Amino acid sequence: DITRLPQYYPTRCERTILSTYIREIALLLGHNRVLVEFGAGSATKTSVLLGHVLFSEYIAIDISGEVGFEREDDLVIHIKPEGSLTITGFFEPVGCSIINDGEITVSGVFQRGIANLTNNGGLTIQSGGKVGSGMSNTENRGTFTIDSEGELTIDRGSVFSNYGTLTSHGLITVKDGGQLNDEGGSIANEGVIDLYAFFNGNIEDISGSGTVN
C-alpha cells in the first residue's frame, strides 16, 4: 500500500488536517449533505468525517483494504443507477442503511453489522468473495448473483427477502435463526444452498441442478 510508505506524505497530511480541524470542517459542511468519495480505498480519512458530520448519503466508489465504521443515526449509503461500488478488501458498515440502484461487486469481504440492504440494481459476489448479513435484513428487488466459489451467509436474526432474481453458482448458507424468503422472485441454484433454518417458499420452485440441503 503506497499510502503507508514513509515518503508518501499526502495521506498523512490529509488525515492530520481532518483530525485537527474536524470541528471547523463539520460547521462549514452542516448537516444532510451528500458525501461522494472517488477512489475510497480503505476510507481511513472518510471515517473521521462520518464520525462528526450527519451526511444524508455516503456514496463510496472503489473500496479496498479494511473499512469499518459505526453510526447512531440514519446515514444512507446510496449507490445511484450510474454508480458502482467495488469491494476488494474488508468492508463492515454498522448503523446505516444501504440502497443499491447501481452495481455492487464483491471480491473481498462485505460483512454488515446492523445495516439493512435494499438491492434494486445488480450485486455480484465474485469467486472468493464473501457477503454476510450480520443482524441485518436484505431486500433483493434486482439481480443478486453469486459466482462459483462465492459465498452468501444469511446470519442468525436476519431475513433475506427475494423479490427479484437470485442466481447462485456458489454457496448460500442460511444459519440457524436466519431466514430466506421467496417473495415471488426467482431462485436459480447451480451451487449449494444449506438451509439450516427457515425457508419461506416452495423448495420445488428453486430451479437449477445444484444441491439444496
Side-chain angles (χ1 to χ4, degrees), residues 84-182:
S84 64
L85 172 62
T86 301
I87 301 171
T88 59
F90 182 88
F91 181 41
E92 184 179 24
V94 179
C96 62
S97 60
I98 303 168
I99 300 174
N100 177 39
D101 292 321
E103 295 290 332
I104 296 178
T105 304
V106 182
S107 59
V109 178
F110 182 15
Q111 179 62 50
R112 285 143 48 211
I114 303 174
N116 293 333
L117 168 66
T118 300
N119 179 48
N120 300 314
L123 192 155
T124 301
I125 306 174
Q126 296 181 331
S127 178
K130 297 180 180 181
V131 172
S133 63
M135 295 287 288
S136 308
N137 295 328
T138 303
E139 282 192 7
N140 178 45
R141 297 179 179 273
T143 302
F144 200 112
T145 305
I146 304 152
D147 291 343
S148 177
E149 297 185 18
E151 297 181 20
L152 167 65
T153 301
I154 303 171
D155 293 303
R156 181 181 181 85
S158 66
V159 178
F160 187 109
S161 299
N162 183 52
Y163 298 87
T165 301
L166 174 60
T167 304
S168 177
H169 296 267
L171 172 64
I172 299 176
T173 302
V174 185
K175 289 192 173 181
D176 184 28
Q179 188 170 322
L180 174 60
N181 291 345
D182 180 9

